[in-house]
Structure formats: C-alpha cells, structure tokens
Amino acid sequence: MNKPAKIATAVAVALGLAYPATAWLLGKQVESALDAQYQQLSEQPYIKVVERSFERGVFHSTELVTFELNGELLSALARAGEEEAATTDAPVEPVRFTVRSEIAHGPLPGLRTIGAATAEAGLVLDEAAKAQLAKVFGDAAPLQLKTVYGFSGGGSTTLTSPGFKTTVPAKDGGERHVSWQGLKFTVDFTRHMQRYSMQGEAPGLEIEDGAAHVVVSGIRMSGDQSRVFEDEPLLYAGTQKITIDEVRMTPRAAAAAGEGGEKAEPLLLKQVAYDVSSPAKGEFIDISAKFGAETVQVGAQDYGPAHYDLSLNHLHARTLAKLSRAVMSMYSEEALRQAKQGQTAFALAALAEPARELLAHDPEISIDRISFRSPHGDATMALRVRTNQLSPDDLQNPFVLIGKLDVTGNASLPEGLIADMQKDEAGSAEEAARRVDLQLAGYAAQGLVQREQGFVKSALEFRGGELKINGKPVNPFALGAAAGSDSAAHAQSGSLTAPAQ
C-alpha cells in the first residue's frame, strides 16, 4: 500500500471511530436542551408534563411526552362560553395528549442536512382517534413538528397543519360548515431560548351556518423576542405582530332580524393589525400596543381607518416579572378551584404586593389614540396617566395618591356624532341636534369645551391636585353644573372643595 493510500485509510478509520462518538455526544446535547425546555414549561400553569421517556441511542433517539392541559382552566372557559354551563360545577376531565419525537443525531442527521440533530414529532393516537381525525384530515397528519438543532444549542422549529373541510352540528340544530386552509409556523431560537423569532401564516378560515357566513383571510404572525434577565426565563422584550387581510361577516336572512327585532348588519374589516413593541430600557420596559383597521364597515357605513393605541411605559422590569408570575399563579388549578368556590382573596392578595411595588416606580399609562371616522367627521381621543414619586404609604391614602397623579388628555368629536348617539332618546334627529346644541352651548360658556366648525374639543390637565380644562382651573365638583347656574362660578375657581350649599 503506497503512502497516500495509507493516509487515506487512516483518515477513514479515524472518521469511522469519531463519528459515532460525535453523534452520541450531540444526542446528549439535544436531550439536555429538551430537559431545559420542559423545566421552563413547568413554571407556567396552563399545561404540564405528566410522563416522559427518552430512549437514546448512538445515531437515533426516541422521545415520548404526555402533556395535560389545566382542567380547571378548561372548566372555567367552558362556563364562560356556555350560559348553561355557568350554572353547573361539573369538573372537566383533564385533556391529555402524547407526542412522539424521532430524533436523528448529527453531524449529518439522517444524511439529509448538517446540524446537531433533527427531530420530527407528531401526535400519538389510538385507533378510535385516528378514525375520527381521518374524517377531517383524510390521510394527512393533523399536526407535524420538525426541528433542526444547530451545534451552538439553538435551532429552528416548523409546525404545520393541513387544511380541511368539515361539517359539525350548529346550536340551532342545523349544520355548520367549516373550511380551514392550513397553518405554517416557524420559530428560530438560540440556546436555552435566550432569544427567538417567529413567522407564521394561515391563509384563511370560513364558517357558514344558518346564522351567518364568516370569512377570515390572510392571517400572518411575526415576532422577535429576547430574554430580559438570564435568571428570569418568562420575561421577554421585543416585538410581536398579527395582521389579517380581511374579516367578512354576513348575517343570513333568517337571522338578520336579530334580537329585539333589530336588524343585524354585515361587517367588513380590512387590513387589521395588532402590533406590540416592548423594548427594554435599562431597568425598565416600555410596552406599546397598537390595534387598528383601515376598513371598519358596518352595513353601508365605513368607520375606518380606526385605531386604538395603548402604552404602558417605565415599567420596572424585575417588578413586572414578579407581577407576571403572580398573575400566572391565578390560573393554577388550586387557585381556579378556590375562585370557583368564591375564595379569591388569597389570589388577589398575591397581586397586591408586586402591583404596589410597580406603582412606586412611577409607571405611565397612556391611551395614545382612539380614533375612527364617522359620517360627520373623524373622532379622536387620548389620555395619559402617570404617578409622581409614590411611596407604599401613599397608596393607603387616597387624597395623597390623587395629589401625586399627573393626568393629561384631549378629545375632538363631531357634534353630529354626539347628536346621533342621543337620537333614540330624543325621538328624532332634529330634537337630538337641538338638545346637543343647548348642552354644548352651556359647557362652552363654562369653558369646558370649545366649538369649532362642527366639532367639539376639550383638553384636560390634572397636576398637583389641580384640574384644568382648556388651560383654565376648574372645580371638578361643578363639572355637571348647567351654564348660568350658581355653580358655574365654582367651575372656574380651581378648588377641589364642593360648592357651598
């Protein structure tokens, strides 16, 4: 054997010996990553692992995990969703399901890619369940989960579910036709889920029965999240977004009369978006949530674009994590059992301490924008509330607490819209317009509102215990006074004491 051949043989032998060892070690790495994943899962109350087995070989491993959904939470949801269920305390049987994962070890898992491992997971079903699901999904698996693990401990998971068409009984005794166009959702993650990004898409859902025809199309989800603290696995900062191209609801003629004889109008929403941003800023987190739609059409009237933007700023991150865990504890099986029996004091007490601590860090709550289009013009509103150096003792004294609130707000509403809201009570559009004109004239005389080209506007400010409206001090006890009454003078005094009787 010549020298090159000897070298090649030696390399081949070395690789042959090293590959099984490497595969075994990578399999161990994946098992450890899964251990950490289930440990994190155990810290939330909605689902738990009741049984798990992991059979690890040199090149391949098999994992079986049985999960159980929170039975008390399912019972609470059932009571909330069904009027008749609200009067019963019958327990809901725990829902369990088992997932089998077939894991191929790297560095060439299954000889199909390069990585630490690949895993393909699916539901384990008995014959009866398979027969029922086959009626909906045919030969396709109802759920598939594929993961590629990288050498650094991160990876990428893709969940897919096929489309289907099925018919189920409707509440009115008829049939409900359901058409689902499938789902694809991908999560890319780093080691121990320190950071993850996600992308998902569901082309559409259609539901039709004797009451209505509902079509939802173009559902997309995305996000990018990073863990705020190394030792707090459940608190993340980043972005999340859900968009829907169109939601269309058309009532059927037989159901169009609605309750009380009121006609049910068709509804059309277009370009719906829910956008959440939660950046970490040092020890604090700001949370901004924006919900809007470009088209909000009810019957023939379009109220879009419509927006509702809310922000919670300057939230102390460590305290927010405590509060988040306290809120999750309210959904534990024991807490829900106590709540069902009317014993909520313990659960609410758990929220009190982190809530007080959060307020002591001077958070800011802001309704940044409420806006929509009406037949009479655009309506807009905004409100911001912030605390000013609160202490725990301040929370026990309402007068001190009020003095440390900082509130600003503004609103602009079409006068025609206000009149429309009073039309039923007034009996006619003309009478409603006359009443609104008188009311607004009185408020304008007090300086509480400003009337400009068919719009009524007002700006509010409350600082240091003093209320100002449109820049003028106002006595809040006199806000309901009619123009020209003795109390009108009090409305300009700025005093927080009630008018003399």
Side-chain angles (χ1 to χ4, degrees), residues 194-216:
Q194 291 288 340
R195 178 175 178 175
Y196 68 89
S197 62
M198 54 187 179
Q199 296 283 338
E201 182 176 8
L205 170 68
E206 184 174 359
I207 302 174
E208 185 174 11
D209 57 22
H213 182 200
V214 179
V215 179
V216 183

Side-chain angles (χ1 to χ4, degrees), residues 189-374:
F189 55 92
T190 62
R191 182 178 177 84
H192 299 317
M193 290 290 289
Q194 291 288 340
R195 178 175 178 175
Y196 68 89
S197 62
M198 54 187 179
Q199 296 283 338
E201 182 176 8
L205 170 68
E206 184 174 359
I207 302 174
E208 185 174 11
D209 57 22
H213 182 200
V214 179
V215 179
V216 183
S217 59
I219 306 168
R220 284 176 288 275
M221 300 149 279
S222 62
D224 195 337
Q225 299 278 299
S226 298
R227 193 173 293 166
V228 178
F229 303 113
E230 291 282 345
D231 57 350
E232 177 47 74
L234 301 182
L235 183 65
Y236 286 85
T239 61
Q240 295 184 60
K241 188 173 184 178
I242 300 175
T243 61
I244 302 175
D245 288 344
E246 183 174 295
V247 178
R248 185 183 296 270
M249 192 281 288
T250 306
R252 291 305 187 196
E259 296 183 6
E262 296 182 0
K263 183 180 179 181
E265 299 278 7
L267 172 68
L268 175 63
L269 306 177
K270 288 185 177 182
Q271 293 178 267
V272 181
Y274 178 63
D275 195 349
V276 178
S277 175
S278 55
K281 299 180 178 180
E283 297 181 2
F284 296 89
I285 291 178
D286 292 344
I287 301 175
S288 171
K290 298 180 179 181
F291 179 71
E294 290 303 305
T295 299
V296 183
Q297 186 171 326
V298 181
Q301 179 60 49
D302 186 3
Y303 294 92
H307 299 277
Y308 178 71
D309 300 345
L310 172 70
S311 60
L312 305 171
N313 297 324
H314 204 255
L315 304 177
H316 189 251
R318 284 287 183 186
T319 310
L320 182 62
K322 292 180 186 178
L323 182 61
S324 177
R325 287 186 174 272
V327 170
M328 283 199 301
S329 71
M330 297 179 66
Y331 294 95
S332 68
E333 291 184 307
E334 180 59 30
L336 289 170
R337 275 193 290 268
Q338 292 179 354
K340 189 165 61 176
Q341 299 168 3
Q343 302 173 6
T344 59
F346 179 79
L348 293 176
L351 295 178
E353 181 179 350
R356 283 195 297 265
E357 187 178 342
L358 193 67
L359 287 174
H361 288 282
D362 298 332
E364 178 182 293
I365 303 172
S366 177
I367 300 175
D368 301 310
R369 175 173 57 164
I370 298 177
S371 67
F372 60 91
R373 179 172 298 167
S374 80

Side-chain angles (χ1 to χ4, degrees), residues 32-99:
S32 298
L34 291 171
D35 290 341
Q37 172 184 306
Y38 295 125
Q39 176 58 40
Q40 182 173 332
L41 188 68
S42 69
E43 298 185 33
Q44 51 78 37
Y46 316 111
I47 186 173
K48 62 182 178 182
V49 175
V50 294
E51 187 176 350
R52 181 191 176 208
S53 66
F54 194 95
E55 298 180 4
R56 182 158 55 87
V58 175
F59 302 105
H60 180 274
S61 297
T62 299
E63 181 189 55
L64 279 174
V65 186
T66 299
F67 300 93
E68 181 178 290
L69 300 180
N70 185 327
E72 290 295 333
L73 180 58
L74 293 176
S75 178
L77 292 174
R79 291 195 301 273
E82 299 289 345
E83 294 180 3
E84 60 271 20
T87 61
T88 67
D89 292 325
V92 172
E93 288 295 323
V95 175
R96 291 188 176 187
F97 60 94
T98 300
V99 176

